[in-house]
Every structure is written in C-alpha cells, then in structure tokens.
C-alpha cells in the first residue's frame, strides 16, 4: 500500500510557520507519511535551514498569501483565494493528497472546505468535531464545536451519525452512545431544537442515550455529544478554561507552604502527565466532519507535537475510511 | 434593629428534612436570625428529638404536602398549592418573614416565586443567579442559570442590572464588569439574541465588558456573565462536572504510586480546601433575582452547611437592600 499523503497549511496557527515545519518533520520521521507543505517556499526553506530542520521527504507548494485569523471567513473565496489554506484545499480536491491539516482560522477552514472540497452527499452542514477527555482516561466527541451557531434538528441527527462512525472506527468504541446536550433528562426539556432533535434521534438507527446534562459530559455519560454550534463552542471553551483554572489553582496550592512544596517535588512527573491528560489540544485536531475528504482543524496554539498529532489523526481517518463509512450510513438512512 | 426573619422549606432537597433541620439550627445559633420552618410539624419535631436537634428559636408552620422534584413546575399553583414551598412563599408575601430559602425543585421555585411573590416592577423575568469561583480566589455571577431557556435581548440587560447590584453590594466589587457570553469577541458574533443584546448592553449604563468567551469565565474576565437560561444552565452544570472530574483524576493520580501517596499525605488539609474552593455549592444558594422579595434556591444536594450558607446569603440580601437597589436602578432606566 502506498503511503498516506497529508497536505499541511504551513502558515496557520499562532506558532506557525516554525512549529508547523517542526511538526511536518516529526510526522515524516515518525508516521510514515508524505507531507506537502503549502506556504511561502523561499521563506519556509530559509527558516528550515536556519533552524536545522531537514526538508527530506517534504514537498513544498509555493503560495504568496496567508489569510489572517481576523479576516472574514468568506474572504478565503475572494481576496485570499490564493492563500496557503485555499491552495492546500484545492490540492486535496485535485487528489494531490489524501487529507489536509490547518491550524488557521476555523471560520475560513469551514467555508473553504465546504466551498472548495464540498460536503459528503446528503450531509447538510459540516461540523467541528472535538475529542474531549473524561474521567478514567476516556473521552467523548463533541459536535458541533462551532461551525454552525444555529442548527436544525436533522443536523443534530447527522452529527450523531458522523460522530458515531468516528468513535467506532478511530477510538474503538462499540456501539457509541449518542447523547443530546440538554438542560434536563426529560424529553420535553430545552428549546424547540432539543425537543425536535430528541424525537428524531429516538427514531434514528443510532444508539441514542437520551438527554445529557452538561455535568455528565466530563464524567463520560456518552460517547458522542450532539448540540448546536453555539452551545458546543461554549462547552469546548469552558472545558479549556476550567482546565487552565484548575491547573493554576493546583499550582497555587502546591506553592503555598513548606509541606505542599515537598509534595510538589514528589509529584513532578505525575503532574505533567495530569496536565497533558486534561489538555484536549494534545489529542490532535478537530476533523471538519461532513466534508467529502479528511480535513483536520488543529488548535490555533498548536506546537510541533500537536501538528504531528493532527497529521496522525488525518492518517488514521484515511486508513479507517471514516468518510466512506459516513457516506454509506447516510445513504441508508 | 430587629432580627432578620428567614423562612425555610424543610422538605426541599435530596438531604431534607434532616440536613435542613440541622442547617436551620446552625443558622439560628451562628447567624443571629429567626428561622421559620415550613413542613410537616409532628414529623419534623420527632426527627429533631431523635437526632437531638434543639428547636429553640425555630418557629414551625405545619404543611401537609411536599412537591416532588419530578412534578411539573406549575403544579405548585394547582395540586401542590399547599406544599411546604408554596406555604413558605405565601408567608413571605404576608410579611411573616424577610426572605425564603428552599432546596426543592428549581422549576417550582421559579414558578411559585413569580406567581405568589411577584416580580420587581419593570423586571420581565426572574433569573437564577449563581456565584461561581474563579482563579485566585475570585468569583463571578452567572445569570441566567436556567429559569428562562429562551430569552429576549432586553432580559439579558436586566440580568446585567441585577447581577451588578448583587456583586457590588454583596461581594464588594466596584463597578462590576458585565460580560455577554458569546462564541467570539467581535460584536457580530453569535445568534440574533447575542447581536441584539450586545447593542443594548453597550447603550446601557452598565459597565459593559463586551463579549466573553466561555474560556474566560473561570479565569475571571468579568464579574457578571449574562446569557440565556439554556446556555447558563450548560455553563453551571459543566462547571460542576469539570470540578468533579478533576478531583477524581487528581485523586487517581495521588493514589497511583508510592511517591504520590506520600505527597497525598502531605497535602491532606490543602486538598480539602482546594475541593471546597472549587465547589460553588458551598457558596450558599442561587438567588432568584427579579422576585420582589429575597428568595434563595439552595442546591438540591445541600447539606446542613449549605443550608446555613443560603440563610446567611438571604440575611445579607436583606441587610444590603439588594432588591431596593435593583428597583431603583430599573426605575431610572
């Protein structure tokens, strides 16, 4: 079997291009993939030389422009139509790669992937799908993390279909439990969206676990949590903020006295593992589920390791044929 | 000055009536208040005798029925119109007390307080207002925590007014920063509700801090966070679930090895403080802001200490004349 080919946007993310280059290097060395980097080739090559990053096995595709993170998402189809992200997405449609990874603007990635690559037939809207850690080393997939601030009930059912395929094939969860994020367990709870979505989910072939209150999410009460992109974005970012807050408070507690400082010394390695375990950004990126080919949105603050993990995720999505699985399920519904 | 008189629902909450009785006892002993307990007087007196809880200084008002937590909220006006919660609220309107505390059904408390006690003139809807801890020992007030799943923009402005009065008078925050919970910083972000609310908040006399992303909430980026009750309930419960998850993970880490177990021993007292600091249920209860007299909804799992803290909160709300303050601000707008 030939190697999986991953296209990367060299300029997306706060720490790009340096960490993107380092991540590409690590991916080529460790993951047995071919990487194509879209970006300003002369300046990228210069940076590689300066930082002693070998370019062996990395293909460069030159682009002049970069879409700024504050640009309107639709600008990727207009004034920034030749930016590194747009060029990468076009290479994907031209079959110059099997998957695409970017840490750039989420909005631009959603618009660009939808307009340039297109959706899976039958899927109404793509969703940002993020895997979030739970107690006991588990995880759940949250959909939608913010691609669609407003949703219709049938979109939530499709999120369930896509999330189930992912959790089953990539994470190895048998018959994933799909929960509807809501403000109470009863089926009459929530707004019109939740009431309608509850009915449609109950009638779908999914393993519907009913309404899930937000308190149950980090406790692992479902494998796929479906919600509109507004609520999903709140969940995603509050999870991130709470993790940061708790690590800061823990640190404050450990540095407060002599006994606690001794304890901190004993915990050194374990604390690092703990922090990493909480940090969903280390899991890789968020696939834009519903797009006709694998597109991964890495976190805006991705470092080399996060870029590499996003490439790994892209590779597994290709190997496990997630998109074919979704296409099949949707065509049968 | 005569003592503040607090009416308590003896039967609301998972641990009622025993913890409610103990909480009432502690409140009378420590807070210099008069407590009136609504509930089944013979059985409450029997329980006090059995558990050696003195009833000195506690007034009992006998009620036959109790509203179950799974009842429709509106049942408090119909088949359960003589339950302990309804009777307590009526005593409040009859000036038989200055404030009311219940750990019973949130929905019933909102309906009962609105219908029996009524709203402050000019306030469209009451909101559940919860104080949530942030980094560095701070806190913010979240409104609405779930009384109104759907909101109009002007309701969010009123939440800001009420939350500001509370944070200023009870927590001592000068000129509280009011943040609009949203999925991005720009004023065009979010759904129609957020876009309209942004405009109205910017034009209000409040100290409007703009949109706040959920990640900034636990980091203390605002003092009052306004949002619809659906989103607010998600935030409230995810905060609770994350706290639980992190304590469980921390415990797992501390018990994993010999060195970490030694560290755990050194941290014993500090860890307890840490857990309590994260636990917003220890702060007391959530005032139903917008109701014409102080009504506090204590957490459903309240123990004696939480009941006592809810009584303390009720007492301070009376002393600081929060409701008069809100009435004044609303009348001037």
């Amino acid at each position: 079997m030939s190697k999986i080919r991953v296209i990367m946007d060299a300029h997306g993310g706060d720490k790009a291009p340096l960490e993107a280059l380092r991540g590409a290097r690590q991916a080529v060395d460790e993951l047995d993939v071919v990487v194509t980097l879209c970006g300003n080739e002369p300046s990228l090559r210069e940076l590689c030389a300066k930082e002693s990053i070998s370019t062996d096995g990395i293909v460069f595709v030159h682009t002049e422009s970069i879409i700024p993170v504050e640009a309107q998402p639709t600008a990727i189809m207009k004034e920034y139509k030749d930016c590194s992200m747009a060029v990468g997405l076009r290479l994907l449609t031209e079959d110059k790669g099997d998957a695409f990874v970017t840490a750039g603007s989420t909005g631009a990635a959603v618009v660009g992937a939808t307009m340039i690559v297109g959706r899976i037939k039958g899927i109404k809207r793509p969703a940002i799908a993020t895997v979030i850690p739970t107690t006991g080393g588990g995880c759940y997939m949250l959909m939608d993390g913010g691609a669609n601030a407003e949703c219709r009930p049938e979109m939530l059912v499709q999120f369930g279909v896509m999330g189930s395929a992912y959790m089953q094939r990539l994470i190895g969860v048998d018959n994933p439990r799909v929960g509807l994020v809501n403000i109470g367990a009863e089926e009459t709870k929530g707004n019109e969206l939740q009431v309608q979505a509850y009915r449609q989910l109950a009638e779908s072939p999914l393993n519907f676990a009913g309404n899930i209150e937000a308190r149950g999410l980090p406790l692992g009460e479902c494998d796929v949590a479906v919600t509109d992109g507004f609520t999903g974005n709140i969940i995603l970012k509050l999870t991130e903020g709470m993790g940061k807050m708790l690590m800061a408070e823990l640190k404050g507690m450990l540095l407060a006295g002599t006994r606690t400082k001794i304890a901190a010394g004993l915990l050194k390695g374990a604390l690092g593992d703990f922090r990493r375990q909480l940090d969903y950004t280390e899991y890789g990126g968020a696939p834009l589920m519903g797009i006709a080919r694998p597109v991964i949105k890495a976190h805006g603050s991705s470092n080399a390791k996060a870029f590499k993990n996003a490439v790994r995720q892209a590779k597994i999505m290709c190997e496990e044929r997630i998109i074919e699985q979704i296409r099949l399920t949707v065509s049968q519904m």
Side-chain angles (χ1 to χ4, degrees), chain A:
Chain A
M1 199 174 123
S2 60
K3 290 186 182 184
I4 303 284
R5 303 160 302 158
V6 180
I7 305 161
M8 282 178 70
D9 174 3
H11 295 289
D14 311 337
K15 294 168 187 163
L18 181 57
E19 293 298 308
L21 291 173
R22 287 188 171 138
R25 179 73 258 149
Q26 290 179 14
V28 170
D29 290 343
E30 300 171 28
L31 304 175
D32 196 32
V33 292
V34 177
V35 169
T36 297
L37 272 170
C38 296
N40 192 298
E41 186 169 357
S43 81
L44 293 175
R45 284 196 181 273
E46 194 181 331
L47 188 58
C48 283
K50 187 178 150 230
E51 299 285 337
S52 307
I53 301 166
S54 156
T55 58
D56 281 1
I58 297 177
V59 180
F60 288 88
V61 171
H62 180 71
T63 61
E64 287 286 336
S65 84
I66 300 164
I67 186 166
V69 76
E70 64 278 9
Q72 280 293 321
T74 48
I76 194 170
M77 304 307 293
K78 299 177 210 160
E79 57 266 46
Y80 291 105
K81 70 179 165 33
D82 293 319
C83 70
S84 55
M85 194 193 284
V87 169
L89 288 164
R90 271 201 293 278
L91 289 174
L92 187 62
T93 64
E94 292 160 5
D95 202 34
K96 302 279 169 55
D98 302 303
F100 176 68
V101 169
T102 179
S105 151
T106 304
V110 172
V111 170
T114 307
M115 305 298 281
I116 298 169
V117 185
R119 285 162 295 160
I120 295 172
K121 198 180 164 199
I123 293 289
K124 290 179 192 300
R125 298 289 290 273
I128 296 168
T130 309
V131 173
I132 299 181
T134 60
T135 35
C139 63
Y140 73 98
M141 172 160 266
L142 176 72
M143 292 180 78
D144 169 22
N148 315 280
E150 276 182 288
C151 284
R152 291 187 306 281
E154 56 272 28
M155 288 164 63
L156 269 55
V157 178
Q158 293 194 338
F159 297 166
V161 169
M162 297 193 284
S164 292
Y166 188 97
M167 290 304 281
Q168 197 153 14
R169 303 289 278 261
L170 257 88
I171 312 286
V173 179
D174 267 345
N175 204 16
R177 298 159 300 161
V178 177
L180 173 64
V181 179
N182 208 335
I183 57 173
E186 306 81 3
E187 58 187 285
T188 53
K189 285 281 178 177
N191 292 320
E192 194 55 26
L193 172 67
Q194 285 77 28
V195 174
Q196 296 288 343
Y198 189 102
R199 206 169 302 156
Q200 294 188 20
L201 282 161
E203 286 167 4
S204 78
L206 294 167
N207 180 15
F208 181 47
N211 288 331
I212 301 281
E213 292 193 80
R215 108 165 40 87
L217 294 172
L219 305 175
E221 289 183 5
C222 66
D223 304 304
V224 179
V226 296
T227 187
D228 62 278
F230 185 90
T231 308
N233 194 266
I234 300 288
I235 292 171
L236 195 61
K237 287 179 181 159
L238 186 58
T239 299
E240 191 181 336
M242 285 289 293
K244 276 195 186 144
M245 175 212 173
L246 288 156
M247 286 311 298
E249 292 298 298
L250 193 56
K251 199 172 156 191
M253 177 194 86
L254 289 170
L255 298 177
T258 312
R259 283 166 67 92
T260 59
K261 276 184 193 161
I262 298 168
L266 291 163
L267 290 175
K268 215 158 187 189
L271 275 177
D273 294 343
F274 184 59
R275 188 182 54 73
R276 274 186 292 278
Q277 193 190 328
L278 294 184
D279 188 1
Y280 70 87
T281 63
E282 294 238 351
Y283 275 56
L288 300 188
M289 301 284 272
I291 297 298
R293 307 201 69 177
V295 174
I296 309 277
K297 166 67 181 79
H299 198 276
S301 63
S302 289
N303 58 16
K305 190 178 163 191
F307 275 109
K308 182 190 71 181
N309 285 342
V311 172
R312 186 205 310 274
Q313 198 177 9
K315 182 191 175 196
I316 305 177
M317 274 187 78
C318 295
E319 288 170 348
E320 293 294 329
R321 307 178 67 79
I322 296 300
I323 287 169
E324 286 71 13
Q325 171 74 36
I326 294 171
R327 196 172 274 137
L328 190 71
T329 312
V330 171
S331 73
Q332 287 167 349
M333 275 173 76

